[in-house]
Each structure stands twice: as C-alpha cells, then as structure tokens.
Amino acid sequence: MDLMKVVDEHFKEERKLPEFKVGDTVTVHYKIKEGNKERIQNFRGVVLQRRGTGINETFTVRKMASGVGVERIFPVNSPFVEQVDINKRGKVRRARIFYFRNLTGKSARIKEKIYTKS
C-alpha cells in the first residue's frame, strides 16, 4: 500500500487538463502513430464516467457515428492525450450515466448548465 503511494508520487506528472465532469461534452485531441507518421485526431462526445484516482484515472467518452454509438476510454495521464476542450457543460445527477446508452432522439439530450456572472 505504501509502495503504491511512493510510485504514484514519483510518476505524478501533473497534466493540466481542464476540470470537466460527467455530462459535459468534450473534444479529446489524441495522437495516433501510423508507421513513422504521427497525427492528431479529435474525438467529440459526452463524458459518461470518470473513474480511478491518481495515475490510474480514466474517463469514458461516447459519441454517435453514423447512427452507431462509439465509446472510448482515455487515461487522464496518457501521453497520447494532447488536450481536452470543453464544448458544453452538462447538468446530470449521477456519477455514471450509463442510462444514456439506451436513449435516442430528443431524450438523448443533456440539460446545459447555465453560468451567471456574479
């Protein structure tokens, strides 16, 4: 147990990703290596869950591609994740919104969080 804390602190290279939560619509820019070429691909979707802590933290993003749901799990500390842009802030009441997989059409919308300047 104590060894894991030492390893986490040693490899803890703080990534400056923005604060995002479940229900937010995000665009994840990640590197893809094809042979000796390298390019950045965007994956835009809704965050279904965040799990784990420290170096093991991951988040799941779901998008619809040609009428088919596609989910990807991204490690927060992955060197392949270039940046995460927040497109919309969502308002949900749960930490994991797996019920979102079964929704289609208008019911598959998430209420947007509205911020006021105070």
Side-chain angles (χ1 to χ4, degrees), residues 1-32:
M1 191 78 146
D2 195 31
L3 180 63
M4 287 302 293
K5 288 181 183 177
V6 172
V7 170
D8 276 349
E9 286 179 16
H10 184 271
F11 288 108
K12 189 175 183 182
E13 196 174 288
E14 280 297 317
R15 306 276 325 270
K16 291 298 174 190
L17 293 181
E19 289 295 320
F20 60 93
K21 296 180 180 178
V22 173
D24 294 351
T25 303
V26 297
T27 303
V28 181
H29 304 273
Y30 63 97
K31 283 189 229 174
I32 294 180

Short mmCIF file of all heavy atoms in Angstrom, two decimals, residues 1-32:
data_model
loop_
_atom_site.label_atom_id
_atom_site.label_comp_id
_atom_site.label_asym_id
_atom_site.label_seq_id
_atom_site.Cartn_x
_atom_site.Cartn_y
_atom_site.Cartn_z
N MET A 1 0.83 -1.19 0.00
CA MET A 1 0.00 0.00 0.00
C MET A 1 0.88 1.25 0.00
O MET A 1 0.66 2.16 -0.77
CB MET A 1 -0.92 -0.03 1.22
CG MET A 1 -1.98 1.01 1.18
SD MET A 1 -3.28 0.50 0.08
CE MET A 1 -4.65 1.20 0.90
N ASP A 2 1.86 1.26 0.87
CA ASP A 2 2.75 2.41 0.96
C ASP A 2 3.61 2.54 -0.30
O ASP A 2 3.92 3.64 -0.73
CB ASP A 2 3.64 2.27 2.20
CG ASP A 2 4.32 3.58 2.57
OD1 ASP A 2 3.71 4.62 2.30
OD2 ASP A 2 5.43 3.53 3.10
N LEU A 3 3.96 1.41 -0.89
CA LEU A 3 4.76 1.40 -2.12
C LEU A 3 4.00 2.06 -3.26
O LEU A 3 4.58 2.79 -4.07
CB LEU A 3 5.13 -0.03 -2.48
CG LEU A 3 5.98 -0.21 -3.73
CD1 LEU A 3 7.34 0.48 -3.55
CD2 LEU A 3 6.18 -1.67 -4.03
N MET A 4 2.69 1.83 -3.33
CA MET A 4 1.87 2.44 -4.40
C MET A 4 1.87 3.95 -4.28
O MET A 4 1.91 4.66 -5.29
CB MET A 4 0.44 1.91 -4.35
CG MET A 4 0.29 0.49 -4.84
SD MET A 4 0.89 0.26 -6.53
CE MET A 4 -0.29 1.22 -7.41
N LYS A 5 1.83 4.47 -3.06
CA LYS A 5 1.86 5.92 -2.87
C LYS A 5 3.18 6.50 -3.34
O LYS A 5 3.23 7.55 -3.95
CB LYS A 5 1.62 6.27 -1.40
CG LYS A 5 0.19 6.05 -0.96
CD LYS A 5 0.01 6.42 0.48
CE LYS A 5 -1.40 6.14 0.94
NZ LYS A 5 -1.59 6.42 2.36
N VAL A 6 4.27 5.79 -3.05
CA VAL A 6 5.60 6.25 -3.48
C VAL A 6 5.68 6.26 -5.00
O VAL A 6 6.17 7.21 -5.61
CB VAL A 6 6.69 5.34 -2.87
CG1 VAL A 6 8.05 5.68 -3.45
CG2 VAL A 6 6.71 5.47 -1.36
N VAL A 7 5.17 5.21 -5.65
CA VAL A 7 5.20 5.13 -7.11
C VAL A 7 4.34 6.22 -7.72
O VAL A 7 4.73 6.88 -8.69
CB VAL A 7 4.74 3.74 -7.58
CG1 VAL A 7 4.53 3.70 -9.08
CG2 VAL A 7 5.74 2.68 -7.16
N ASP A 8 3.14 6.45 -7.15
CA ASP A 8 2.25 7.50 -7.65
C ASP A 8 2.91 8.87 -7.56
O ASP A 8 2.83 9.67 -8.49
CB ASP A 8 0.93 7.52 -6.87
CG ASP A 8 -0.06 6.50 -7.41
OD1 ASP A 8 0.20 5.94 -8.50
OD2 ASP A 8 -1.08 6.25 -6.75
N GLU A 9 3.56 9.15 -6.46
CA GLU A 9 4.21 10.44 -6.29
C GLU A 9 5.40 10.59 -7.23
O GLU A 9 5.67 11.67 -7.75
CB GLU A 9 4.65 10.63 -4.84
CG GLU A 9 3.51 10.90 -3.91
CD GLU A 9 3.97 11.07 -2.47
OE1 GLU A 9 5.18 11.28 -2.25
OE2 GLU A 9 3.11 11.00 -1.57
N HIS A 10 6.11 9.49 -7.47
CA HIS A 10 7.27 9.54 -8.35
C HIS A 10 6.85 9.81 -9.79
O HIS A 10 7.47 10.60 -10.50
CB HIS A 10 8.06 8.23 -8.27
CG HIS A 10 9.31 8.26 -9.08
ND1 HIS A 10 9.34 7.87 -10.39
CD2 HIS A 10 10.58 8.64 -8.77
CE1 HIS A 10 10.56 8.01 -10.86
NE2 HIS A 10 11.33 8.46 -9.89
N PHE A 11 5.80 9.14 -10.24
CA PHE A 11 5.35 9.29 -11.63
C PHE A 11 4.28 10.36 -11.78
O PHE A 11 3.76 10.54 -12.87
CB PHE A 11 4.80 7.96 -12.14
CG PHE A 11 5.88 6.95 -12.39
CD1 PHE A 11 6.02 5.86 -11.55
CD2 PHE A 11 6.75 7.10 -13.44
CE1 PHE A 11 7.02 4.93 -11.77
CE2 PHE A 11 7.75 6.18 -13.67
CZ PHE A 11 7.89 5.09 -12.83
N LYS A 12 3.98 11.05 -10.71
CA LYS A 12 2.93 12.06 -10.76
C LYS A 12 3.44 13.28 -11.51
O LYS A 12 4.08 14.16 -10.96
CB LYS A 12 2.51 12.44 -9.35
CG LYS A 12 1.28 13.32 -9.31
CD LYS A 12 0.86 13.54 -7.89
CE LYS A 12 -0.41 14.34 -7.84
NZ LYS A 12 -0.81 14.62 -6.49
N GLU A 13 3.15 13.29 -12.79
CA GLU A 13 3.50 14.42 -13.63
C GLU A 13 2.18 15.11 -13.93
O GLU A 13 1.41 14.66 -14.77
CB GLU A 13 4.16 13.93 -14.91
CG GLU A 13 4.88 14.99 -15.68
CD GLU A 13 5.63 14.38 -16.84
OE1 GLU A 13 6.63 13.71 -16.60
OE2 GLU A 13 5.19 14.58 -17.97
N GLU A 14 1.88 16.15 -13.20
CA GLU A 14 0.57 16.77 -13.27
C GLU A 14 0.27 17.26 -14.68
O GLU A 14 1.00 18.07 -15.24
CB GLU A 14 0.46 17.93 -12.29
CG GLU A 14 0.19 17.51 -10.88
CD GLU A 14 -1.14 16.81 -10.70
OE1 GLU A 14 -2.14 17.26 -11.27
OE2 GLU A 14 -1.17 15.80 -10.00
N ARG A 15 -0.81 16.72 -15.23
CA ARG A 15 -1.29 17.17 -16.54
C ARG A 15 -2.24 18.32 -16.28
O ARG A 15 -3.05 18.27 -15.37
CB ARG A 15 -2.04 16.05 -17.26
CG ARG A 15 -1.29 14.75 -17.40
CD ARG A 15 -0.36 14.68 -18.58
NE ARG A 15 -0.75 15.34 -19.78
CZ ARG A 15 -1.45 14.81 -20.77
NH1 ARG A 15 -1.89 13.59 -20.68
NH2 ARG A 15 -1.73 15.50 -21.84
N LYS A 16 -2.17 19.34 -17.05
CA LYS A 16 -3.06 20.48 -16.88
C LYS A 16 -4.26 20.35 -17.80
O LYS A 16 -4.41 21.07 -18.76
CB LYS A 16 -2.31 21.79 -17.14
CG LYS A 16 -1.27 22.12 -16.10
CD LYS A 16 -1.92 22.29 -14.74
CE LYS A 16 -0.89 22.47 -13.66
NZ LYS A 16 -1.45 22.41 -12.34
N LEU A 17 -5.10 19.35 -17.51
CA LEU A 17 -6.35 19.20 -18.23
C LEU A 17 -7.40 20.05 -17.53
O LEU A 17 -7.36 20.22 -16.32
CB LEU A 17 -6.80 17.73 -18.25
CG LEU A 17 -5.93 16.76 -19.05
CD1 LEU A 17 -6.52 15.37 -18.97
CD2 LEU A 17 -5.79 17.19 -20.48
N PRO A 18 -8.37 20.58 -18.28
CA PRO A 18 -9.39 21.40 -17.63
C PRO A 18 -10.28 20.54 -16.73
O PRO A 18 -10.35 19.32 -16.88
CB PRO A 18 -10.19 21.96 -18.81
CG PRO A 18 -9.96 21.01 -19.92
CD PRO A 18 -8.57 20.47 -19.72
N GLU A 19 -10.97 21.19 -15.82
CA GLU A 19 -11.89 20.49 -14.93
C GLU A 19 -13.17 20.19 -15.70
O GLU A 19 -13.90 21.09 -16.09
CB GLU A 19 -12.22 21.37 -13.73
CG GLU A 19 -11.07 21.53 -12.76
CD GLU A 19 -10.68 20.23 -12.09
OE1 GLU A 19 -11.59 19.45 -11.73
OE2 GLU A 19 -9.48 19.99 -11.93
N PHE A 20 -13.43 18.92 -15.93
CA PHE A 20 -14.67 18.52 -16.59
C PHE A 20 -15.30 17.40 -15.78
O PHE A 20 -14.63 16.68 -15.06
CB PHE A 20 -14.44 18.10 -18.04
CG PHE A 20 -13.52 16.95 -18.23
CD1 PHE A 20 -14.00 15.66 -18.30
CD2 PHE A 20 -12.14 17.14 -18.33
CE1 PHE A 20 -13.14 14.58 -18.47
CE2 PHE A 20 -11.28 16.08 -18.51
CZ PHE A 20 -11.79 14.79 -18.58
N LYS A 21 -16.62 17.29 -15.92
CA LYS A 21 -17.38 16.32 -15.13
C LYS A 21 -18.20 15.44 -16.05
O LYS A 21 -18.23 15.63 -17.26
CB LYS A 21 -18.32 17.06 -14.17
CG LYS A 21 -17.61 17.91 -13.14
CD LYS A 21 -18.59 18.60 -12.25
CE LYS A 21 -17.87 19.45 -11.22
NZ LYS A 21 -18.79 20.17 -10.36
N VAL A 22 -18.91 14.51 -15.46
CA VAL A 22 -19.82 13.65 -16.20
C VAL A 22 -20.95 14.50 -16.75
O VAL A 22 -21.46 15.39 -16.08
CB VAL A 22 -20.37 12.55 -15.26
CG1 VAL A 22 -21.44 11.74 -15.96
CG2 VAL A 22 -19.25 11.66 -14.79
N GLY A 23 -21.32 14.25 -18.01
CA GLY A 23 -22.38 15.00 -18.66
C GLY A 23 -21.86 16.11 -19.55
O GLY A 23 -22.61 16.64 -20.38
N ASP A 24 -20.60 16.49 -19.40
CA ASP A 24 -20.02 17.53 -20.25
C ASP A 24 -19.74 16.97 -21.63
O ASP A 24 -19.39 15.80 -21.79
CB ASP A 24 -18.71 18.05 -19.65
CG ASP A 24 -18.91 18.79 -18.34
OD1 ASP A 24 -20.08 19.05 -17.98
OD2 ASP A 24 -17.91 19.09 -17.68
N THR A 25 -19.88 17.81 -22.64
CA THR A 25 -19.50 17.45 -24.00
C THR A 25 -18.08 17.97 -24.21
O THR A 25 -17.83 19.17 -24.07
CB THR A 25 -20.45 18.07 -25.03
OG1 THR A 25 -21.78 17.63 -24.74
CG2 THR A 25 -20.09 17.64 -26.43
N VAL A 26 -17.16 17.06 -24.53
CA VAL A 26 -15.75 17.42 -24.66
C VAL A 26 -15.21 16.95 -26.01
O VAL A 26 -15.75 16.05 -26.63
CB VAL A 26 -14.90 16.81 -23.53
CG1 VAL A 26 -15.32 17.34 -22.18
CG2 VAL A 26 -14.95 15.30 -23.54
N THR A 27 -14.13 17.60 -26.42
CA THR A 27 -13.37 17.15 -27.58
C THR A 27 -11.99 16.74 -27.08
O THR A 27 -11.28 17.56 -26.50
CB THR A 27 -13.23 18.27 -28.63
OG1 THR A 27 -14.53 18.71 -29.01
CG2 THR A 27 -12.49 17.77 -29.86
N VAL A 28 -11.64 15.48 -27.30
CA VAL A 28 -10.34 14.96 -26.87
C VAL A 28 -9.44 14.92 -28.09
O VAL A 28 -9.77 14.29 -29.09
CB VAL A 28 -10.48 13.56 -26.26
CG1 VAL A 28 -9.14 13.05 -25.79
CG2 VAL A 28 -11.48 13.56 -25.11
N HIS A 29 -8.31 15.62 -28.04
CA HIS A 29 -7.31 15.59 -29.11
C HIS A 29 -6.25 14.57 -28.70
O HIS A 29 -5.59 14.75 -27.68
CB HIS A 29 -6.65 16.97 -29.27
CG HIS A 29 -7.64 18.07 -29.51
ND1 HIS A 29 -8.07 18.40 -30.76
CD2 HIS A 29 -8.28 18.90 -28.66
CE1 HIS A 29 -8.92 19.40 -30.68
NE2 HIS A 29 -9.07 19.72 -29.41
N TYR A 30 -6.11 13.51 -29.49
CA TYR A 30 -5.12 12.49 -29.13
C TYR A 30 -4.28 12.11 -30.33
O TYR A 30 -4.70 12.18 -31.48
CB TYR A 30 -5.79 11.26 -28.51
CG TYR A 30 -6.73 10.52 -29.41
CD1 TYR A 30 -6.32 9.40 -30.12
CD2 TYR A 30 -8.04 10.93 -29.58
CE1 TYR A 30 -7.18 8.73 -30.96
CE2 TYR A 30 -8.91 10.28 -30.41
CZ TYR A 30 -8.47 9.17 -31.09
OH TYR A 30 -9.32 8.51 -31.94
N LYS A 31 -3.03 11.73 -30.02
CA LYS A 31 -2.05 11.39 -31.04
C LYS A 31 -2.25 9.96 -31.51
O LYS A 31 -2.49 9.06 -30.71
CB LYS A 31 -0.64 11.50 -30.48
CG LYS A 31 -0.09 12.87 -30.35
CD LYS A 31 1.38 12.79 -30.01
CE LYS A 31 1.67 13.70 -28.85
NZ LYS A 31 3.04 13.58 -28.37
N ILE A 32 -2.12 9.78 -32.82
CA ILE A 32 -2.16 8.44 -33.41
C ILE A 32 -0.87 8.26 -34.19
O ILE A 32 -0.51 9.12 -34.99
CB ILE A 32 -3.37 8.28 -34.34
CG1 ILE A 32 -4.66 8.36 -33.54
CG2 ILE A 32 -3.30 6.98 -35.10
CD1 ILE A 32 -5.90 8.22 -34.35
#
